[in-house]
Amino acid sequence: MQLIHFRSCPNKKTTIFNTQININQFYGSLKDESAIPDQAKQEIKVACIEFVVLDYRPFKTLNDIDFKNLAQKFF
């Protein structure tokens, strides 16, 4: 997904790959994944990818404390 996002933003520098985490790194760092059903995790993952790609946001936005607080309120 990063490559597709990067190609749609030709004015961005190539260092973007060195400074932001990818979605797999983000989800791999979660502590208690067993509390969320697999289907819900997949739907959340897709929604987060769409949020990042469609709104041209860095993946690190998902790791922000305010975003995490919002996500926890949903659960």
Side-chain angles (χ1 to χ4, degrees):
M1 282 307 231
Q2 277 184 321
L3 188 55
I4 294 169
H5 176 80
F6 180 72
R7 286 181 182 164
S8 68
C9 299
N11 295 331
K12 301 287 181 189
K13 294 181 180 180
T14 57
T15 57
I16 193 167
F17 293 114
N18 298 328
T19 59
Q20 72 181 33
I21 63 170
N22 67 37
I23 197 73
N24 293 328
Q25 291 171 321
F26 174 76
Y27 276 103
S29 68
L30 293 178
K31 303 280 187 243
D32 187 18
E33 292 187 36
S34 62
I36 304 171
D38 288 339
Q39 183 176 352
K41 284 194 277 187
Q42 184 62 26
E43 290 174 6
I44 292 167
K45 189 182 290 189
V46 169
C48 287
I49 291 169
E50 289 175 350
F51 170 77
V52 169
V53 173
L54 297 176
D55 292 342
Y56 304 106
R57 298 184 184 275
F59 279 113
K60 68 182 180 180
T61 302
L62 302 175
N63 207 23
D64 183 64
I65 190 70
D66 294 325
F67 185 86
K68 287 182 179 181
N69 185 39
L70 175 65
Q72 287 176 351
K73 299 296 181 199
F74 290 135
F75 291 102

